[in-house]
Amino acid sequence: MAFAASTACCKPSALLAPRTSSSSSLRAQALLCSPSTSTKFHGLKAPVPRRRAASTGIVCGKVNKGSVPPNFTLKDQDGKTVSLSKFKGKPVVLYFYPADETPGCTKQACAFRDSYEKYKKAGAEVIGISGDDAASHKAFAKKYRLPFTLLSDEGNKVRKEWGVPSDLFGTLPGRQTYVLDKKGVVQYIYNNQFQPEKHIGETLKIIENL
């Protein structure tokens, strides 16, 4: 079926002419003459799609630069409970890593270990978090002489709350580092899945300039 162009049917004389048809037909005529940008045919309005509610199954990027991350309480390698709020008043380097004893995670932990005295001199705390239990953390810290806190996030609850992304293939927990200032505000975020030790110097520079 072909429709007449809107400019042809919308002449003023047609609108001012005496009523010769029912009010319903006039309303239909007005609808046909209304220009619409939603389709290439004048007078045909495409349905407006409804906005879908945001999915709650995937958490992504909840903690951003300039934000204050949610507090948490987890067990350290000695089985003691530790809260993030405990460290307020000093800078914190908090890094999420996939698992104890993996090559990349071991390399990253040892890089933090080797620079730990510099972090201490700058007044900062270093905290590592993974889904391993306290016993695994204790063995890992003892084997590699790690002087800083390792927290057990079993079930990856904190990781999900913070929105830490998975690796590129979505098969492993991601590796991401956050630098918090003395007020608990995030000043730096670094995703370092494939170069786990590269950011050590960068985080030190940021800490020293806070």
Side-chain angles (χ1 to χ4, degrees):
M1 179 182 293
F3 289 90
S6 61
T7 53
C9 69
C10 288
K11 294 180 180 180
S13 58
L15 293 176
L16 296 176
R19 294 185 181 181
T20 57
S21 59
S22 64
S23 58
S24 59
S25 63
L26 286 176
R27 283 195 296 269
Q29 185 184 41
L31 286 173
L32 286 172
C33 296
S34 300
S36 172
T37 58
S38 59
T39 175
K40 64 181 180 180
F41 298 108
H42 291 293
L44 294 181
K45 295 185 179 180
V48 179
R50 294 182 180 180
R51 291 185 179 181
R52 293 183 180 180
S55 172
T56 56
I58 299 176
V59 180
C60 181
K62 278 193 172 182
V63 175
N64 300 304
K65 183 178 178 181
S67 68
V68 176
N71 187 39
F72 58 75
T73 300
L74 299 172
K75 288 186 178 181
D76 67 7
Q77 62 262 52
D78 296 318
K80 298 178 181 178
T81 56
V82 177
S83 297
L84 178 62
S85 57
K86 169 188 174 183
F87 302 100
K88 199 167 185 179
K90 60 175 65 177
V92 174
V93 177
L94 189 151
Y95 74 98
F96 289 87
Y97 64 98
D100 297 336
E101 295 289 354
T102 58
C105 298
T106 299
K107 194 173 184 179
Q108 182 180 28
C110 289
F112 273 119
R113 177 200 65 195
D114 295 343
S115 298
Y116 185 67
E117 289 303 317
K118 294 179 181 178
Y119 284 107
K120 280 187 67 177
K121 187 176 179 180
E125 291 285 344
V126 176
I127 303 171
I129 300 180
S130 78
D132 301 290
D133 60 23
S136 175
H137 280 339
K138 189 167 186 176
F140 186 51
K142 183 178 180 180
K143 182 176 180 179
Y144 295 101
R145 305 185 311 279
L146 306 179
F148 49 86
T149 300
L150 296 178
L151 297 180
S152 177
D153 181 25
E154 294 187 71
N156 295 317
K157 182 179 178 181
V158 174
R159 180 184 289 273
K160 292 173 184 175
E161 287 178 348
W162 283 48
V164 179
S166 300
D167 68 2
L168 290 177
F169 306 103
T171 56
L172 294 172
R175 187 191 311 279
Q176 190 147 293
T177 300
Y178 299 83
V179 176
L180 282 62
D181 63 18
K182 294 179 181 180
K183 295 180 180 180
V185 179
V186 176
Q187 297 296 333
Y188 179 78
I189 300 175
Y190 184 80
N191 188 287
N192 48 331
Q193 190 69 30
F194 301 108
Q195 295 178 306
E197 80 288 356
K198 181 181 178 181
H199 67 300
I200 305 299
E202 295 178 35
T203 56
L204 266 172
K205 288 179 183 178
I206 293 169
I207 289 291
E208 290 168 352
N209 291 324
L210 289 178

